[in-house]
Amino acid sequence: MRDPSAIGQVADTEQVTGVIRGDKVVADLENVVKDYPGPPQVRALDHASLRISQGELAAIVGPSGSGKTTLLQIMGTLDRPSSGRVEIAGYDVQSLSDRELSALRAQQIGFVFQQFFLLERESALENVANGLIYRGTNTDERRELAVHALERVGLSDRLHHRAAQLSGGERQRVAVARALVGRPAIVLADEPTGNLDTRRANEIIELLEDLNRDNVTIVVITHSQELADRLPRLIRIRDGRIVEDSGRPSSAARQPHDRA
Amino acid sequence: MPERLVPSRLSARNILRTAVVGVNTRRNRSIMSALGIAIGIAAIVGVLGLSNSSRSNLISQLNALGTNLIQVQPQSGIGVGNAQLPATAAGMIARIPHVEGVSQEIATSTNVYRSSYVPSEYTAGLSVAAVDTNLLTTLHGSIAQGHFLNAANIKYPVAVLGATAARALGIVSLGDNPTVSIGGQSFTVVGILKTFPLSPNLDSAALIGIPAAAMLGVADTPSTIDVRADPNNIDSVLAALAATANPENPDQVAATRPTAQLEAKAAATSTFTELLLGLGAVALLVGGVGIANIMVITVLERRSEIGLRRALGATRRHIMVQFITESLILATLGGVSGVLLGVIATVAFAESQSWGIIIPAEAIWGGLLAALLIGGLAGLYPAMRAARLSPTEALRST
Ligand SMILES: Nc1ncnc2c1ncn2[C@@H]1O[C@H](COP(=O)(O)OP(=O)(O)OP(=O)(O)O)[C@@H](O)[C@H]1O
Ligand SMILES: [Mg+2]
């Protein structure tokens, strides 16, 4: 059994000797195009290229309809690009079957959604433990890891509350715990603060920053420029094109980690 | 390239965990949708239980009566005129191999009255028959009060009353030595019988000894000869009967088995039973459609859950299995409660009829199996729809 206290750390760090933080690429997108068949046909992503390294915390910003969610879904292997190359945790997505993609998500990717998507009747603990069910983790280990994950997000006193009994901020913490309980290579969050007031939104971003300090790789979509400005890397997207990326050496405005 | 990606196999326990979520979340709806199956299964189990219990009751009656009784009577019919059995018939029949007992009944034209003051036209439909002393043994009849005719009393004016006759004559007890009037003579009632299921005409008769009857001027030609045959050789006895009883006119002899009708009844399933079974099957079908309906709605309502599960790494097959299992759970709930209901109804009704309780095991297994089958079929299409949803479609729904 794995050491439960290691939750919130990236799975493979210890095995990849000699690799310094930020060198291992966990998500690599090259010239990704995504067309939604019409009519009218919509080009949601237009030759987007992006590389996320292990241990990064990146914000994606952009106007509504600019393709942020589409980008995240393609990074999360929930959808396939119309063209372009996507590599997640070293796997070339194009060569994988639907079953293999499911296994990839189970093992390597954690999701956080704006709408939380908790099972209302189930306890916080069960909701988090459910995050491991498709990894084949056994029941006892699931529970133990879930307890630690909930402690990690500051909910150790809410383990047995039903999701329906929790506040919005607490629900999103449960969802974050569920995303990280399997120690995925990357956590993808689509507007996790969208349904929260400013204070709760701040708390969630602080939580993500905190997790990132433990080497969790996180990509987060946000509408709030203010929240995005706090994060080490900012990716701006407009009309399906990446128009600004502080992590790309060519866009000299920002360097990764220079604000951490 | 890193190691091969293989989706995990969910253990039975984890499959159940995923499937129980939906049942649990919408409890009332789950109960209602299981109800249709429950009613159908209950109807089928109940009908099969009741018809089997009533049949077993009939069969145990038959066993008590014995199916080896043959009644020999003169065959009257067109061109035959007034057929009679010879007086020697009983003695001859007794010599047929495999005959275990023979008793004669001699019908009389006299009637029985409570007393000699009753006008002779008030017969109350009661008759008088002269019978052998072993009649009770041959017919498997039994006495309710007093005793039957025997060698010691057949010469005297004593009578034994059939159950109906005793009631009609107002004789309920033998305590004060009641008498009846037969052929103008007073006969002492020495016994009252229980009903004869195989010879109902004796219920409304007063039975007297053959010597006593002779004194009343009754002829000695038997009207009925009751024959008990070895149960394994009934056919050979039947074949020999006519020629033995009346060697001169064998065609004037009718031999019948009074249990034949009861046997036919026990063997037949009534159309009513079939109708109820049909209704049960319809209820099952409707129940299945109900579950399918609920499952379709469930899948529509829970798109976001499906999306979430796909995001957590569920394969299409995981989703499919989850919803089929959910449907199976609903159907099993319905099936189990239906079987219970059917058993309870059968037990309650059989008890009230004091029948033995027989619920065929096939009804129970069949009921549960049918429920599972229906659940599986009902869940198949909705589960396939759920599995076909792409993760992004499913997640976009809210
Ligand atoms: N399934 C779909 N079919 C057709 N068009 C779609 C589909 N999904 C998204 N689109 C279109 O693709 C474009 C990008 O959508 P996307 O959801 O990625 O935007 P977004 O940046 O996440 O917007 P928001 O900030 O409002 O969430 C939009 O024009 C949208 O209408
Ligand atoms: Mg979006």
Side-chain angles (χ1 to χ4, degrees):
Chain A
M1 187 163 146
R2 283 172 298 172
D3 173 14
S5 64
I7 285 178
Q9 292 167 25
V10 173
D12 300 335
T13 349
E14 56 274 18
Q15 292 155 12
V16 191
T17 43
V19 175
I20 56 159
R21 178 182 159 128
D23 271 359
K24 192 185 175 204
V25 175
V26 290
D28 194 358
L29 282 67
E30 213 177 282
N31 281 321
V32 167
V33 173
K34 178 67 184 178
D35 291 327
Y36 289 112
Q41 186 183 329
V42 176
R43 175 151 294 192
L45 287 179
D46 190 2
H47 297 91
S49 297
L50 182 65
R51 181 171 289 180
I52 306 286
S53 300
Q54 185 177 303
E56 277 201 89
L57 171 52
I60 299 178
V61 296
S64 184
S66 55
K68 305 184 293 295
T69 296
T70 305
L71 179 63
L72 209 74
Q73 284 174 341
I74 284 175
M75 278 209 262
T77 75
L78 293 171
D79 210 347
R80 293 175 188 270
S82 308
S83 69
R85 200 179 54 81
V86 178
E87 208 177 290
I88 303 297
Y91 292 92
D92 181 1
V93 167
Q94 188 168 357
S95 68
L96 298 179
S97 69
D98 193 70
R99 292 181 75 237
E100 289 169 323
L101 286 185
S102 299
L104 178 63
R105 291 194 293 272
Q107 292 162 20
Q108 306 285 359
I109 305 169
F111 290 93
V112 181
F113 300 99
Q114 180 176 353
Q115 306 92 327
F116 320 133
F117 290 144
L118 301 180
L119 300 175
E120 295 295 308
R121 281 221 177 212
E122 308 269 296
S123 68
L125 186 62
E126 281 154 356
N127 267 288
V128 176
N130 268 335
L132 293 169
I133 208 162
Y134 301 106
R135 301 190 81 187
T137 316
N138 74 44
T139 316
D140 290 340
E141 196 178 347
R142 282 208 303 268
R143 277 182 76 87
E144 188 163 346
L145 291 170
V147 169
H148 281 91
L150 280 163
E151 274 168 7
R152 185 69 186 78
V153 300
L155 284 179
S156 41
D157 54 344
R158 293 284 186 277
L159 300 183
H160 302 292
H161 283 58
R162 279 196 199 158
Q165 297 168 325
L166 299 175
S167 74
E170 287 168 337
R171 288 158 155 249
Q172 199 56 298
R173 282 168 185 276
V174 173
V176 170
R178 181 181 62 197
L180 64 88
V181 68
R183 297 198 294 161
I186 188 166
V187 171
L188 304 172
D190 191 350
E191 295 197 47
T193 59
N195 278 349
L196 302 177
D197 62 39
T198 321
R199 196 166 135 224
R200 308 297 151 204
N202 261 316
E203 285 172 9
I204 290 294
I205 295 297
E206 276 162 22
L207 173 62
L208 295 182
E209 288 174 321
D210 190 30
L211 291 170
N212 179 244
R213 275 190 283 278
D214 283 344
N215 212 15
V216 181
T217 311
I218 303 173
V219 177
V220 53
I221 295 178
T222 174
H223 257 128
S224 160
Q225 183 70 43
E226 187 191 343
L227 288 178
D229 279 337
R230 286 169 44 178
L231 302 186
R233 178 174 173 189
L234 187 137
I235 298 155
R236 190 179 303 281
I237 180 170
R238 183 173 299 136
D239 297 332
R241 269 186 274 262
I242 292 175
V243 293
E244 181 189 346
D245 184 351
S246 64
R248 205 184 277 167
S250 56
S251 78
R254 301 182 209 203
Q255 290 297 320
H257 316 309
D258 65 357
R259 302 164 56 95
Chain B
M1 194 73 178
E3 61 185 286
R4 260 180 63 87
L5 289 162
V6 182
S8 74
R9 284 181 55 108
L10 288 195
S11 65
R13 188 173 158 189
N14 284 333
I15 290 173
L16 272 182
R17 268 201 62 81
T18 61
V20 130
V21 168
V23 179
N24 212 12
T25 311
R26 308 234 184 279
R27 278 183 208 163
N28 287 340
R29 188 196 283 177
S30 303
I31 290 171
M32 295 306 280
S33 60
L35 202 61
I37 296 278
I39 290 172
I41 300 280
I44 289 176
V45 170
V47 167
L48 289 180
L50 283 180
S51 65
N52 275 277
S53 299
S54 98
R55 181 177 309 161
S56 88
N57 180 54
L58 219 54
I59 287 171
S60 67
Q61 262 182 24
L62 271 175
N63 288 339
L65 298 173
T67 54
N68 57 341
L69 179 71
I70 303 166
Q71 290 187 324
V72 180
Q73 285 167 322
Q75 169 90 289
S76 25
I78 302 161
V80 175
N82 197 12
Q84 285 192 328
L85 293 171
T88 53
M92 301 293 287
I93 290 171
R95 280 188 225 131
I96 301 177
H98 307 303
V99 164
E100 296 177 339
V102 180
S103 309
Q104 325 176 58
E105 303 171 27
I106 302 170
T108 71
S109 53
T110 31
N111 290 301
V112 56
Y113 305 96
R114 182 70 179 89
S115 76
S116 54
Y117 304 114
V118 177
S120 62
E121 62 267 29
Y122 292 172
T123 63
L126 305 180
S127 58
V128 174
V131 299
D132 280 340
T133 52
N134 65 353
L135 180 78
L136 219 50
T137 322
T138 309
L139 287 182
H140 292 186
S142 53
I143 199 111
Q145 288 184 56
H147 53 84
F148 196 64
L149 302 170
N150 54 42
N153 65 16
I154 41 169
K155 293 194 199 70
Y156 302 105
V158 297
V160 173
L161 300 179
T164 316
R167 219 176 309 122
L169 294 168
I171 294 171
V172 290
S173 126
L174 302 176
D176 45 1
N177 295 316
T179 57
V180 291
S181 171
I182 295 173
Q185 280 201 36
S186 181
F187 276 68
T188 306
V189 178
V190 295
I192 299 176
L193 299 171
K194 293 187 178 165
T195 54
F196 283 103
L198 293 184
S199 232
N201 60 314
L202 293 181
D203 289 340
S204 53
L207 309 182
I208 58 176
I210 293 174
M215 289 189 279
L216 294 177
V218 173
D220 54 1
T221 50
S223 53
T224 303
I225 300 173
D226 298 303
V227 180
R228 277 288 171 191
D230 172 7
N232 301 317
N233 292 290
I234 296 176
D235 289 337
S236 74
V237 173
L238 270 173
L241 264 177
T244 313
N246 193 345
E248 277 154 39
N249 298 300
D251 55 333
Q252 291 183 17
V253 177
T256 53
R257 286 171 59 234
T259 48
Q261 270 191 347
L262 276 177
E263 285 170 58
K265 194 172 158 195
T269 51
S270 74
T271 41
F272 187 60
T273 304
E274 278 163 15
L275 182 77
L276 284 178
L277 279 180
L279 282 179
V282 169
L284 261 190
L285 199 72
V286 172
V289 171
I291 287 189
N293 205 5
I294 291 295
M295 291 308 297
V296 168
I297 295 174
T298 291
V299 168
L300 287 179
E301 278 181 352
R302 285 160 60 199
R303 288 168 74 108
S304 59
E305 181 194 325
I306 295 165
L308 169 75
R309 289 186 184 277
R310 294 303 309 272
L312 291 177
T315 60
R316 288 180 194 277
R317 179 184 298 229
H318 285 145
I319 298 295
M320 171 125 176
V321 167
Q322 171 182 344
F323 282 95
I324 285 197
T325 309
E326 191 169 322
S327 173
L328 285 176
I329 289 175
L330 289 179
T332 307
L333 281 179
V336 169
S337 42
V339 165
L340 280 178
L341 268 171
V343 168
I344 289 172
T346 304
V347 169
F349 192 76
E351 288 280 319
S352 79
Q353 301 286 309
S354 50
W355 294 345
I357 296 156
I358 307 264
I359 299 169
E362 304 87 62
I364 292 175
W365 291 124
L368 290 177
L369 216 71
L372 278 177
L373 202 73
I374 287 172
L377 282 177
L380 199 60
Y381 169 69
M384 271 164 51
R385 274 183 61 160
R388 263 209 310 268
L389 270 181
S390 82
T392 51
E393 266 179 293
L395 284 168
R396 208 186 309 122
S397 48
T398 27

